[in-house]
Amino acid sequence: MEDLTKKKTYVEDIERSLYDIRNEDRSLYKSAKGLTEEVVRDISKRKNDPDWMLQKRLEALKIYNEMPMPTWGPDLSPLHMDDIVTYVRPDAKMTGNWKEVPEEIKDTFDRLGIPEAEKTSLAGVGAQYDSEVVYHSMQKELADQGVIYTDFETAVREYPDIVKQYFMTLIPPTAHKFAALHGAVWSGGSFVYVPEGVHVDIPLQSYFRLNAAGAGQFEHTLIICEKGSSLHFIEGCSAPKYNVTNLHAGAVELFVKEGARLRYSTIENWSRNMMNLNTKRALVDKDGVIEWVSGSFGSHVSCLYPTSVLRGENAKCEFTGVTFSSKGQDLDTGASALLLAPHTSANINTRTISKAGGKATYRSAVKVAPAAKDAKCLVNCESLMLDDQSRSDTLPVMDIQADDVEVGHEAKIGRISDEAIFYLTSRGIDEKEAQAMIVRGFVEPISKALPVEYAVEMNNLINLELEGTMG
């Protein structure tokens, strides 16, 4: 086999040692493996769910058992639900005092830069470890303005009327098999409510860490931005590597009301044994704006397509994403937009990078409804393959049901070329730096949109660890 290290275009993997540090499993409780009614009832009981939530869980379980496994995307055959533990309670209670977090868990988040980021550039932080939120805090000034930011279980107990109105209405259990799975066993997550006219000028962040081997994480995030409000929410995820399959099937439901603006930034850096089957959707009303900024770097398999439903006149969607796929990874990512009202607009801009046999697939679905007069949509996806073993595919779908609309799609797939390297080195640039310049230039339109100033972990990933790692 050809030695890739001898090729000028070889690029090293992202350095993952920081994220692969695993803690000893000190969980207080684990549910039985597999997915049964007994497991679901046990989780519900331990969560002190109200009866209405238990019934939703059981309804979702029934739907899950009736739905087939998806076959149109990446190979999911390594996933065996009979081997997955769906609930892991860590040896920690939720607290608003960082000093009260157990030392081993605290050290993990310290290494990831979460407490430091909170001190310098965040208005609130939630930290989830396995199936439970272990730390949550928010600046008093926001609470005084009526902003609610708490873990999702607390929201179910303390704000049941709001949760009932929105929970799993954007992502119903019938959406797909893993939405139903999520509805049955969800645990942890975040709840944010921004009142009318309130502007949260400093971002909020939630971080999800899965430590247990052979387990799943199923956090639920629900954000409601009322009329004329604004918010930037950051989500980070990571897990250490094990020799067994782990599963992530979270759900994110975002409601952007009239004239509101929500920016949702995500860095997903799961380990290479993770099946990342996450679902994210936003519903945008008149004059509202949803901005997605998405980075997908880890996991063995990813299926992630944030969806924007633009139901109000002049509603807007901006999606910016970058995916990096390496050896043993099949990352199937993209975005969807449903333009349902007049003068709506969507702009989808992505970059994918694949190397060492990694597979990166861009998949999108754009639908323009008959009522969406004067709608505009532009999809731009570019793919860069760093060697001759990698693969990149672009699979866009356009369903245009209205006249007087502007819809465009651009796709580029190419390889980093020896000619480009030669040109730069002939101008006195070091070969490794020349390689780094090409990759950095490729992702620059994406990376500059990411909130690198807010967390050390994000900063490290978005720079792709290029300095000193080029072949």
Side-chain angles (χ1 to χ4, degrees), residues 321-338:
V322 60
T323 298
F324 190 109
S325 180
S326 187
K327 182 179 180 181
Q329 291 183 278
D330 186 349
L331 304 189
D332 200 296
T333 61
S336 295
L338 281 68

Side-chain angles (χ1 to χ4, degrees), residues 382-402:
E382 298 186 28
S383 301
L384 182 65
M385 293 178 289
L386 303 183
D387 52 56
D388 56 7
Q389 296 185 354
S390 306
R391 176 169 175 171
S392 184
D393 295 282
T394 300
L395 303 171
V397 174
M398 300 280 188
D399 182 5
I400 315 301
Q401 301 178 7

Side-chain angles (χ1 to χ4, degrees), residues 8 416 420-426 428-441 470:
K8 291 182 180 180
I416 188 171
I421 298 295
F422 175 78
Y423 176 83
L424 291 171
T425 54
S426 71
I429 298 172
D430 177 80
E431 183 177 308
K432 291 183 179 180
E433 177 57 24
Q435 296 165 337
M437 286 175 64
I438 292 172
V439 177
R440 279 199 299 263
M470 306 299 291

Side-chain angles (χ1 to χ4, degrees), residues 110-130:
D110 279 337
R111 285 193 300 268
L112 296 168
I114 305 306
E116 189 60 34
E118 180 184 10
K119 293 174 191 173
T120 59
S121 50
L122 297 170
V125 167
Q128 179 164 331
Y129 193 85
D130 289 333

Side-chain angles (χ1 to χ4, degrees), residues 205-282:
Q205 173 173 303
S206 286
Y207 197 96
F208 303 104
R209 177 74 175 178
L210 180 57
N211 181 70
Q217 193 169 60
F218 309 96
E219 78 284 352
H220 193 92
T221 298
L222 174 59
I223 299 177
I224 302 152
C225 290
E226 293 286 7
K227 181 178 180 180
S229 65
S230 64
L231 169 69
H232 182 186
F233 189 87
I234 303 170
E235 175 190 85
C237 326
S238 69
K241 185 176 181 180
Y242 293 100
N243 293 322
V244 295
T245 298
N246 277 32
L247 172 63
H248 177 238
V252 175
E253 296 184 294
L254 311 176
F255 294 86
V256 183
K257 301 301 181 67
E258 182 178 341
R261 189 180 197 99
L262 172 60
R263 182 169 185 164
Y264 193 92
S265 302
T266 308
I267 302 298
E268 301 216 2
N269 183 34
W270 299 113
S271 54
R272 299 284 173 85
N273 60 301
M274 178 70 77
M275 292 284 201
N276 181 31
L277 310 175
N278 212 2
T279 308
K280 302 180 181 185
R281 292 182 181 176

